[in-house]
């Protein structure tokens, strides 16, 4: 591993007597390793050994209260991936919901976060007030967010009375905006008999034109609640990014006759690329890990698992239905999904820092 | 936490106050014994060894413990023995005569019993009683509080800790409790549905059978045989039941029925849907359904299923005797599907209680729910409701029973047993059930002060065929009930695909060990 | 846009300004809406809160009874357990956990920024993965370890506040280390070099040079850890699920996740739960934002 310029090691050749210097350096190296050691051991056990342990459990028959470590191979994985059993259906729904959530939540947060940042960058009077308002949900627990948004998004019905947002839009004369919110079981998907469906079929991707590859409309409510909490965060990151761009760069572009739009298109957005990457990674991993919010907002079960997500399914399978091995298999899949996203990022980070 | 100092001061004050007044508690059994001789403990002595030397039996140390503790109350030179396995050199013990000791042993019911404790320590129970349940609010919480009050009166020195965890039908509770039991931080007693639910807790390992409590309180003679057979799992009793709930009840708002011109509650599904159409025509939401936690759907389907076949056939679904491929299951799925089409569209957002509230508020006319809904009517002061068995289930009583179980690692088994004794008693069951809105597990309760519904339910309980409820833990293996069956029903509620649902139900039964 | 903008553009300038403010205000309303609904519901009486058709209207009669019930619980209808115990549990949890993880993060960050040894970057990357870890993937072993730790060592971890502290400290190491490392890395190494020549050693450099300069990083980490530990639900519900120890988020879920508790009490409970991190946010907001930046790896 290369050392960065800040590291002491590269400054060792100084005027001190060599013999004493070396021994002191060695002593200090040992101390520095000793200081890190407890953390390394703790994380080694609590992260890496535990992951391996979960992996092991996922290969056993421990699917009741009493531990049973009989090796069953990939049976627990087969149950959630293959066939038309309820476990497999539910897991397919989880993935479908998760992917839809991931795309809309990350995409929405990036777009709205960027929009808010550019608006706030316009020398706004009361900027700090607006910034505080946009950012405060970040300080709140997902459980609180879930409780609040469940209350706001409970739909009600015509006969029993509208509730929440539906009530508000009805009173404002905008009844067309009513929605089933998180109770809506609708799945949007590419129908096989449409032109796009036929096209997919013709290139051998016909399987995509099916509800399992659709979007569960109920997830939009989770997107709303999660977005409410995280858009401010995205905004703060972008705002800091925009502010770190030297004014001269923008001025120069303007003097060259660029419109405001072109300044963004050709100067600001390209310079913000690293911020965007960071935002996407952070939001995506939050999206994959999402648990508390769904747990407290919908519970995941209702409307035919329209808001169920892998993290919640894992928890319920493991601790409610006491199917530990089955739960472990879902946990491993979840870990792989996060790993695919995070590991390249971490490697890239380390490399770019080192160079 | 923040009161720590206050507690400490209080404790010191109490200690100071107690010194001059020697305790004059109820005459303990130990006090009846005079000391035949005194004995000073030497290094290496154990109570068993002393008992063997004095009485010829290594297990006969209880009289020594009781007599010494009794002496200790008036003469501090005698030791106080908290734990028979821990005695220290220099302690002065009181050794009763062999006759006294034999008489004592004959009457001594064991250390884990309240009487036994009184005999050993000459004083009432102390310490804590941790009670875990999923009754966090409403009528059920009020009922539990009634029992707490009674326990407190009988055992003023015991601090009751309410360890409740919220969640419909115990959805969050069971997993968390299992985790507690595995972690060895058990409560003293916890809520357990009678029947298969005991299997969740590895009976015999994590929970202890409560056969002793049954024998002590002669409970087998006060609970009906159908209930006893539901309670018995693997040849033992694992909980003392406090109540019986009926799950197959159709509730309706009388005023709305009148408004729509419906004179009698429907008894068949045809009548039901005809009534629903009438209500709809009158602009009234016919069915209130809560589906947020999923169990409400499973519950409803279960009662429809029970109505589509005989009680015996229905019970057979869970024991492998009736096939899930049966056309009667298909018919039940069809009925359920039709039922759902009349339900409020936002049912996925509502808990069962919110759905019941719609009935109370006059916003919907009918609701299938267990008779815990009755508890909500009571606490909401709502009386304008009627009830009937779910169509097709007349003469069938789909039952569940809440009981209290005894964890193997209960921190204070003495207090836990005191609680079990209370739970089985007539007075506690009457006080509890009036609030909770259920009928007594005992057959000798006085229902004169119960509401009309409960009186009728008590009558049905003795007359109807009883089948255990699967959604509420009585009828089937927990993983079948909470996952295989549950997921199949939850999926069906939105997909409406009868064939797929039946296939899933068949697969779930096969998974549970009953290939179809 | 500056004051020197040509007058010809003035009208267009005006128009866009209005649009920008309008957009900002719309967003502000959107962000404040749930808080508004929460506040309105919690300040109503039970009877008033049950009238759904008025849920967007302010209370006719202001009352704080719902907050009292949410805090203390109640034996009368609406009977419920209160938040009080959970609140104090969270306080007892969050204070030691925050302090310990901050200290660990600081010393780790010092080593990783200023005393890099061969393989330090690699180790650091391995540590960082812990920050992104979906806790579900370690939950079963964690629970099993906690459950059996008591059996084998006699030290109770499961369902105890110290046990919960340990979990939060360990899984907080990556982020705390990261923030301090990034902070220390930008302090000039020459300063340390000079101190070394003056004979300062490993510890005295940390104590006399870095610590006095670390105050901003400490505030950032303390805020970050405080908020995330206070807001945690998963560890609370799996490792500390008895009332004696469960944190406030679990208490809140017990109140809001159940059936009979009226909305005014649920919403009051939600507000009470949100208050401590919100206070922190209001008073130390600018550090909070810095913490967010730091949490994004690059600073």
């Amino acid at each position: 591993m290369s050392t960065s310029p800040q590291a002491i090691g590269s400054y060792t050749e100084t005027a001190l007597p060599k013999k004493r210097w070396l021994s002191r350096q060695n002593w200090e190296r040992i101390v520095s390793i000793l200081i890190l050691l407890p953390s390394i051991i703790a994380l080694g056990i609590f992260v890496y050994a535990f992951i391996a342990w979960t992996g092991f459990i996922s290969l056993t028959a421990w699917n009741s209260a009493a531990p049973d470590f009989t090796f069953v191979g990939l049976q627990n994985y087969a149950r959630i991936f293959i066939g038309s059993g309820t476990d497999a259906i539910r897991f397919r729904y989880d993935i479908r919901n998760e992917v839809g959530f991931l795309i809309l939540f990350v995409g929405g947060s990036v777009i709205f976060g960027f929009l808010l940042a550019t608006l706030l960058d316009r020398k706004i009077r009361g900027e700090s007030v607006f910034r505080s308002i946009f950012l405060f949900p970040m300080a709140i627990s997902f459980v609180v967010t879930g409780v609040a948004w469940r209350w706001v998004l409970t739909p009600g019905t015509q006969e029993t009375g509208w509730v929440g947002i539906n009530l508000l839009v009805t009173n404002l004369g905008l009844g067309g905006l009513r929605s089933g919110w998180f109770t809506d079981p609708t799945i949007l998907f590419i129908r096989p008999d449409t032109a796009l469906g036929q096209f997919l079929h013709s290139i051998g991707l016909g399987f995509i034109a099916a509800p399992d590859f659709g979007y569960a409309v109920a997830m939009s409510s989770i997107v709303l609640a999660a977005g409410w909490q995280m858009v401010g965060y995205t905004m703060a990151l972008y705002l800091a990014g925009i502010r770190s761009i030297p004014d001269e760069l923008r001025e120069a572009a303007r003097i060259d006759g660029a419109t405001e739009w072109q300044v963004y298109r050709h100067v600001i957005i390209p310079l913000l690329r690293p911020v965007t990457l960071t935002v996407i990674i952070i939001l995506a991993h939050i999206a994959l890990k999402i648990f508390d919010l769904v747990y407290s907002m919908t519970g995941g079960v209702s409307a035919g698992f329209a808001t169920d997500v892998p993290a919640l399914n894992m928890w319920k399978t493991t601790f409610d239905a006491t199917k530990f091995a089955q739960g472990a298999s879902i946990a491993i899949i979840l870990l792989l999904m996060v790993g695919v996203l995070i590991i390249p990022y971490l490697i890239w980070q380390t490399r770019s820092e080192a160079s | 936490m923040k009161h720590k100092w206050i507690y400490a001061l209080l404790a010191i004050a109490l200690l100071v106050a107690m010194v001059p007044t020697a305790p004059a508690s109820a005459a303990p059994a130990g006090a009846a014994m005079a000391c035949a001789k005194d004995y000073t403990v030497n290094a290496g002595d154990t109570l068993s060894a002393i008992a063997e030397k004095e009485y010829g039996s290594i297990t006969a140390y209880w009289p020594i413990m009781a007599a010494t503790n009794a002496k200790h109350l008036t003469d501090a030179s005698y030791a106080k023995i908290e734990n028979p396995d821990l005695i220290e050199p220099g302690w002065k013990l009181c050794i009763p005569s062999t006759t006294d000791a034999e008489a004592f042993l004959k009457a001594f019911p064991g250390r884990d019993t309240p009487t036994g404790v009184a005999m050993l320590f000459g004083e009432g129970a102390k310490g804590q009683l941790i009670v875990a349940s999923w009754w966090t609010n409403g009528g059920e919480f009020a009922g539990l509080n009634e029992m707490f009050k009674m326990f407190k009166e009988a055992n003023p020195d015991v601090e009751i800790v309410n360890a409740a965890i919220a969640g419909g039908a115990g959805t969050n509770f069971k997993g968390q409790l299992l985790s507690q039991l595995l972690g060895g931080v058990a409560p003293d007693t916890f809520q357990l549905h009678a029947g298969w639910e005991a299997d969740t807790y590895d009976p015999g390992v994590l929970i202890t059978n409560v056969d002793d409590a049954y024998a002590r309180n002669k409970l087998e003679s006060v609970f009906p045989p159908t209930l006893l057979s539901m309670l018995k799992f693997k040849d033992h009793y694992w909980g003392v039941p406090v109540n019986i709930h009926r799950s197959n009840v159709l509730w309706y708002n009388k005023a709305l029925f009148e408004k729509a011109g419906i004179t009698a509650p429907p008894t068949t599904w045809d009548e039901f849907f005809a009534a629903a159409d009438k209500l709809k025509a009158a602009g009234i939401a016919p069915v209130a359904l809560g589906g947020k936690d999923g169990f409400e759907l499973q519950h409803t389907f279960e009662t429809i299923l029970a109505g589509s076949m005989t009680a015996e056939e229905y019970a057979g679904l869970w024991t492998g005797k009736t096939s899930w491929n049966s056309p009667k299951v298909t018919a039940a799925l069809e009925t359920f599907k039709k039922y759902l089409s009349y339900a409020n569209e936002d049912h996925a957002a509502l808990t069962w209680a919110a759905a019941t509230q719609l009935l109370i508020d006059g916003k919907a006319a009918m609701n299938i729910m267990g008779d815990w809904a009755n508890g909500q009517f009571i606490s909401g002061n709502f009386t304008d409701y009627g009830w009937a068995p779910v169509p097709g289930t007349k003469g069938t009583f789909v039952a569940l029973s809440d009981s209290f179980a005894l964890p193997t690692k209960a921190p204070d088994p003495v207090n836990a047993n005191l609680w079990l004794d209370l739970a089985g008693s007539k007075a506690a069951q009457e006080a509890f059930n009036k609030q909770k809105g259920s009928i007594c597990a005992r057959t000798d309760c006085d229902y004169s002060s119960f509401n009309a519904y409960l009186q009728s339910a008590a009558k049905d309980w003795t007359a109807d065929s009883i089948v255990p409820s699967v959604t509420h833990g009585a009828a089937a293996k927990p993983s079948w009930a909470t996952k295989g069956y549950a997921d199949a029903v939850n999926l069906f509620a939105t997909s409406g695909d009868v064939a797929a649902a039946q296939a899933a139900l068949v697969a779930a039964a096969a998974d549970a060990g009953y290939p179809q | 846009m500056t004051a020197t903008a040509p007058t010809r553009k003035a009208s267009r300038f005006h128009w866009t300004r209005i649009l920008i403010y309008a957009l900002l205000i719309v967003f502000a309303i959107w962000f404040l809406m749930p808080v508004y609904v929460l506040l309105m519901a919690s300040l109503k009486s039970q009877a008033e809160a049950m009238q759904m058709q008025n849920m967007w209207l302010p209370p006719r009669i202001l009352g704080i009874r719902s907050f009292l019930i949410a805090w203390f619980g109640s034996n009368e209808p609406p009977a419920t357990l209160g938040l009080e115990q959970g609140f104090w549990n969270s306080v007892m949890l969050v204070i030691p956990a925050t302090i310990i993880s901050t200290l660990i993060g600081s010393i780790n960050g010092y080593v990783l920024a200023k005393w890099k040894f061969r393989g330090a970057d690699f180790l650091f990357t391995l540590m960082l993965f812990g920050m992104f870890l979906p806790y579900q993937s370690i939950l079963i072993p964690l629970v099993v370890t906690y459950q059996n730790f008591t059996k084998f060592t006699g030290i109770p971890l499961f369902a105890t506040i110290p046990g919960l502290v340990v979990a939060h400290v360990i899984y907080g190491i990556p982020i705390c280390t990261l923030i301090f490392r990034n902070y220390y890395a930008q302090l000039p190494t020459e300063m340390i070099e000079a101190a070394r020549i003056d004979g300062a050693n490993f510890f005295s450099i940390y104590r006399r040079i870095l610590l006095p300069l670390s105050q901003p990083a400490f505030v950032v980490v303390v805020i970050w850890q405080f908020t995330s530990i206070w807001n945690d639900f998963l560890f609370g519900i799996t490792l500390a699920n008895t009332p004696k120890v469960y944190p406030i988020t679990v208490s809140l879920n017990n109140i809001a996740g159940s059936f009979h508790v009226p909305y005014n009490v649920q919403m009051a409970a939600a507000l009470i739960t949100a208050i401590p991190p919100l206070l922190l946010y209001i008073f130390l907001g600018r550090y909070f934002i810095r913490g967010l930046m730091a949490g994004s790896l690059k600073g």
Side-chain angles (χ1 to χ4, degrees), chain B residues 36-116:
Chain B
K37 59 175 155 182
D38 290 341
Y39 180 85
T40 307
V41 178
N42 298 313
D45 273 350
T46 63
L47 265 190
S48 305
I50 298 168
E52 188 177 21
K53 203 168 75 192
E54 297 296 333
Y55 312 124
S57 159
I58 54 163
T59 54
Y61 50 79
W62 297 114
I64 303 176
M65 184 172 165
T68 307
N69 282 340
K71 274 282 178 193
H72 173 81
L73 293 176
T74 50
D75 180 353
S77 73
Y78 286 94
K80 165 136 186 148
I81 308 171
E82 295 273 5
N83 179 346
D85 295 334
L86 284 178
I87 54 170
E88 283 174 23
W91 277 11
K92 191 160 113 183
L93 306 181
C94 166
I95 313 283
S97 70
T98 314
T99 5
D100 276 354
E102 273 169 4
F104 179 92
L105 282 171
K106 204 170 265 172
F108 184 64
R111 200 222 147 120
D112 286 352
T113 62
T115 334

Side-chain angles (χ1 to χ4, degrees), chain C residues 56-73:
Chain C
W56 293 93
L57 302 180
R60 278 191 295 273
I61 306 155
L62 277 181
I64 54 156
R65 207 177 109 81
S66 57
F67 286 93
L68 296 178
I69 295 175
W71 179 259
F72 292 109

Side-chain angles (χ1 to χ4, degrees), chain A residues 1-8 11 14 16 21 24 27-29 31-33 35-36 39-40 42-43 46-48 50-51 53-54 57 62 112 115-116 119-120 122-125 130-141 143-144 147-152 162-165 167-168 171 224 228 231-233 236-237 240 260 278 281-282 285 289 291-292 295-296 311 314-315 318-319 324 327-328 331 334-335 338-339 342-343 345-346 349-350 352-353, chain C residues 1 17 20-21 23-25 27-28 30-35 37-38 41 49 52-56 104 107-108 111-117 119 121-123 125-146 166 170-171 173-174 181-182 185 189-190 192-193 196-197 199-203 224 227 231 233-234 237-238 249 252-253 256-257 263 266-267 270 273-274 277-278 281 288-289 292-293 295-298:
Chain A
M1 276 285 148
S2 59
T3 33
S4 86
Q6 284 95 355
I8 276 293
Y11 291 82
T14 43
L16 284 162
W21 177 230
R24 182 174 142 188
W27 176 78
E28 282 169 338
R29 178 167 293 157
V31 168
S32 63
I33 292 173
I35 280 175
L36 275 188
S39 300
I40 290 167
L43 290 175
F46 278 68
V47 174
Y48 294 96
F50 278 8
I51 288 174
W53 192 349
T54 305
I57 291 172
W62 183 16
F112 284 102
L115 177 68
L116 287 178
L119 289 179
L120 276 188
R122 293 317 200 68
K123 299 194 170 61
I124 295 297
R125 201 166 297 176
F130 281 115
R131 210 180 43 212
S132 303
I133 290 175
F134 299 155
L135 199 50
F136 84 90
M138 178 70 196
I140 292 176
S141 167
V143 181
V144 176
V147 171
W149 280 93
R150 183 176 77 213
W151 171 237
V152 171
W162 301 111
V163 189
I165 296 238
L167 175 68
L168 187 68
N171 287 350
L224 276 184
W228 177 77
V231 162
Y233 172 77
L237 290 184
E260 204 54 19
T278 303
I281 293 290
I282 296 215
H285 108 274
K289 281 159 65 165
F291 167 78
D292 330 13
Y295 185 103
S296 60
M314 181 276 168
W315 202 86
T318 310
F319 296 104
F324 290 87
L334 186 61
L335 178 74
V338 173
I342 293 301
I343 292 170
Y345 177 69
L346 285 178
Q349 274 287 335
T350 320
S352 68
E353 202 173 81
Chain C
M1 300 277 158
R17 291 303 277 180
I20 287 172
Y21 278 103
L23 270 175
L24 283 173
I25 288 167
F27 275 109
W30 161 253
F31 277 99
L32 290 174
M33 178 192 61
V35 182
V37 181
L38 246 69
M52 299 286 192
Q53 70 275 19
N54 295 335
M55 72 175 273
W56 293 93
I104 293 178
I107 190 88
N108 281 353
V111 170
L112 286 168
K114 300 296 181 199
W115 294 93
K116 281 193 187 170
F117 46 86
D121 281 330
F122 178 67
L123 269 180
T125 308
L126 283 182
M127 280 171 94
L128 277 189
F129 183 68
M131 208 170 103
F132 297 98
L133 181 75
Y135 294 127
Q136 267 77 2
S137 63
I138 48 91
L139 212 50
I140 301 173
L142 184 66
V143 172
V144 172
T145 302
Y146 267 50
V166 168
I170 290 179
Y171 293 108
I173 289 175
R181 173 187 174 274
N182 285 356
T189 305
E190 291 75 15
I192 293 166
E193 197 53 24
R196 285 186 60 113
I197 292 166
N201 66 15
F202 181 91
F203 288 108
W224 181 270
T227 344
N231 291 342
F233 179 67
L234 186 60
I237 205 170
T238 38
T249 45
L252 169 64
N253 188 63
Y263 298 111
Q266 292 190 20
M267 299 306 138
T273 308
L278 273 185
Y281 169 73
F288 192 83
I289 294 170
L292 300 184
M293 309 295 151
S296 61
L297 285 188
K298 273 218 120 168

Side-chain angles (χ1 to χ4, degrees), chain C residues 56-106:
Chain C
W56 293 93
L57 302 180
R60 278 191 295 273
I61 306 155
L62 277 181
I64 54 156
R65 207 177 109 81
S66 57
F67 286 93
L68 296 178
I69 295 175
W71 179 259
F72 292 109
S74 151
N75 286 339
E76 303 301 314
T80 182
L81 290 167
L83 282 177
E84 190 183 10
Q85 174 91 49
F87 181 89
W88 293 114
N89 288 341
S90 274
V91 170
M92 299 299 283
L93 156 71
V94 79
I95 292 174
T98 304
I99 293 174
I100 297 170
S101 52
T102 308
L103 292 178
I104 293 178
S106 167

